[in-house]
Amino acid sequence: MSGVAEGPRRTEGRGGVRLADLRGHNTALVLDLARGAGREGISRPELALRTGLTVQAVSKITGRLREAGLLTAAGRRESTGGKPATALRLVREAVQALGVHLDRDGVLVVRTDLTGRALARRRVRLDLGRGAGEVVDLVAGAMADVLAGAGGGGEAGGGGPFRTGGADGDGWAGGVPETGARPAGGAGVRPAREAGARPAGETGGAPLVLGAGLAAPGPLDHRTGVLHKVSGFPGLDGLPLAAALAERLGLPVVLDKDTNAAALGRALAGDARAFAYLHLGTGLGAGLVLDGRLYRGPRTGAGELGHQVVRLDGPPCVCGNRGCVEALCLAALAAGDTGEAARVLGTAAANLVGLLDVELILLGGHRIAAAPEAFLRGVTVALDARASRTGTEPVRVRVAEGAGAAEAAGGGDQVIAEGAAQLVLAPLFGRLPAEE
């Protein structure tokens, strides 16, 4: 992907096999089938049948993957005559990734295994208005903290100091490292740049961190990893955030819009082939999946739902317009009128359905997580009313997995952080459904 910012690194697996050598189409097919087979695994003859490759070609690919520590034996299949075939399964702990959700008031970092399952998480409060340098310091520090093995469900920041669980025990005050961001690494996990870094196989050892996916508010350019004029924070315009973090941490970093990351994660989970993920938190935006592919637009500008004007004489918005959906929703919530906020969001969702004919609306963000039933009701009423007027089938509405009431205490944004990790993981399996 052209928007990957590279840090200095070595990505050698066992026996000198480089992960870069494992990214071919056929290798991705084999890895994806092994992932889908779960703990029971899949045999070489089965892989050959499913991929259309010869058994010899499959044996060569699986040999490299076993040497790299990504596949291991999972037992033998029952014999149907001849020698029983050995089943192979994915070593999902072998390689890990970071998923980062940078919001206007905080950052959530998760560390996942190869399947995208979250292993650790940390949320730190921040203020995007504090300046580019401090934002980079804090995000790099939070990422280093999770790499070092701290994490769990904790939240940091605010009024007092806290101490990480890393090997060196640096003291941090107010959510910002006292002496700048620590290098990535520490207890239990090695960044890809570390000399001799390799996937962790069955014999143990620190897993290799493949890279970091970073999800941030738009507008931004996912190809160059540069932020543009984030609404309300003009000082971040032109910040090469992906490159800055890659240099600090020694990891490849991929930047995309927060709503795109969430939509990608849900697309990979198979939620629908045409849907919109609507995120209402400190702002409002949409991630779009059309015909099974993430749609960013030619300038990463698709999905700016929050800045669609629905009331010409409405309140001013941080973007400079008046009567934007985002401004109306946030004003209603500030006044304690969740029902009105849900009604406005429903109107915007109905307009979106009319434009794109999506089959599913997913809701997420900490505002949704705080009152999921109210927003489900408000959006459903608006979509049902539209379906009644047009004589079409009603569009389904639900709260996205990882964005519901159970996640409200953590910001309701784990769906974005986990989707961000997939920006790094999905290409390894040949599964990055994006419209470039």
Side-chain angles (χ1 to χ4, degrees):
M1 178 182 295
S2 56
V4 178
E6 297 278 357
R9 59 184 183 130
R10 261 185 85 185
T11 54
E12 289 187 1
R14 299 186 183 281
V17 177
R18 297 184 305 125
L19 287 182
D21 295 334
L22 305 178
R23 294 183 185 272
H25 174 71
N26 291 338
T27 301
L29 289 177
V30 170
L31 277 172
D32 197 39
L33 288 170
R35 179 172 63 168
R39 302 291 295 182
E40 293 184 1
I42 186 169
S43 69
R44 294 176 184 84
E46 290 173 299
L47 286 168
L49 182 64
R50 298 279 298 276
T51 61
L53 300 171
T54 65
V55 174
Q56 291 80 2
V58 167
S59 294
K60 185 176 180 180
I61 292 170
T62 55
R64 291 202 308 268
L65 292 172
R66 292 191 72 174
E67 189 178 2
L70 298 182
L71 291 182
T72 191
R76 292 186 178 274
R77 293 283 192 255
E78 289 187 13
S79 175
T80 56
K83 184 179 179 181
T86 299
L88 300 171
R89 66 171 177 84
L90 189 71
V91 182
R92 64 186 192 181
E93 305 86 3
V95 175
Q96 298 178 3
L98 292 186
V100 184
H101 177 205
L102 174 62
D103 206 349
R104 292 170 175 84
D105 61 353
V107 58
L108 172 65
V109 183
V110 299
R111 177 160 48 86
T112 76
D113 65 16
L114 261 176
T115 67
R117 179 176 61 98
L119 304 173
R121 67 187 299 274
R122 178 164 291 280
R123 181 175 174 83
V124 180
R125 291 192 295 275
L126 61 74
D127 177 4
L128 277 185
R130 297 287 291 273
E134 192 163 319
V135 168
V136 172
D137 281 350
L138 192 142
V139 175
M143 293 168 69
D145 190 27
V146 173
L147 280 170
E155 179 164 338
F162 68 95
R163 187 170 295 276
T164 73
D168 51 9
D170 290 345
W172 294 23
V176 179
E178 292 176 340
T179 57
R182 268 184 307 153
V189 180
R190 283 179 288 187
R193 66 173 175 162
E194 185 176 328
R198 64 187 64 189
E202 293 298 289
T203 58
L208 175 69
V209 178
L210 191 62
L214 172 63
L220 55 82
D221 189 332
H222 83 280
R223 293 180 177 84
T224 62
V226 174
L227 295 180
H228 291 320
K229 294 182 179 179
V230 178
S231 297
F233 302 96
L236 299 181
D237 186 21
L239 174 64
L241 186 57
L245 292 173
E247 177 65 25
R248 186 72 63 87
L249 293 160
L251 288 172
V253 177
V254 185
L255 175 69
D256 210 335
K257 285 170 60 174
D258 45 14
T259 50
N260 288 344
L264 172 63
R266 299 320 308 159
L268 293 171
D271 281 1
R273 287 191 58 79
F275 69 88
Y277 168 80
L278 309 186
H279 187 87
L280 181 59
T282 57
L284 170 64
L288 305 173
V289 171
L290 306 177
D291 195 24
R293 300 176 69 84
L294 177 66
Y295 183 74
R296 295 185 176 99
R299 295 172 294 276
T300 327
E304 290 294 328
L305 182 69
H307 300 296
Q308 303 304 303
V309 176
V310 293
R311 186 183 299 170
L312 294 178
D313 59 348
C317 181
V318 292
C319 74
N321 278 328
R322 301 186 70 91
C324 291
V325 177
E326 177 180 302
L328 293 169
C329 281
L330 295 181
L333 289 170
D337 193 346
T338 302
E340 173 63 10
R343 186 186 71 82
V344 172
L345 185 60
T347 298
N351 289 343
L352 189 62
V353 169
L355 285 171
L356 299 176
D357 193 27
V358 295
E359 59 184 315
L360 172 67
I361 296 291
L362 293 174
L363 305 177
H366 72 262
R367 302 287 193 171
I368 302 293
E373 294 303 322
F375 280 102
L376 279 172
R377 184 166 54 249
V379 174
T380 300
V381 165
L383 293 179
D384 286 353
R386 183 186 182 280
S388 179
R389 292 192 305 270
T390 59
T392 55
E393 184 178 346
V395 172
R396 294 175 290 139
V397 185
R398 62 181 174 84
V399 175
E401 183 179 340
E407 290 78 26
D413 53 1
Q414 186 147 323
V415 63
I416 291 179
E418 291 179 355
Q422 291 293 352
L423 292 167
V424 174
L425 294 171
L428 197 61
F429 299 94
R431 290 169 55 88
L432 190 61
E435 190 77 40
E436 294 296 343

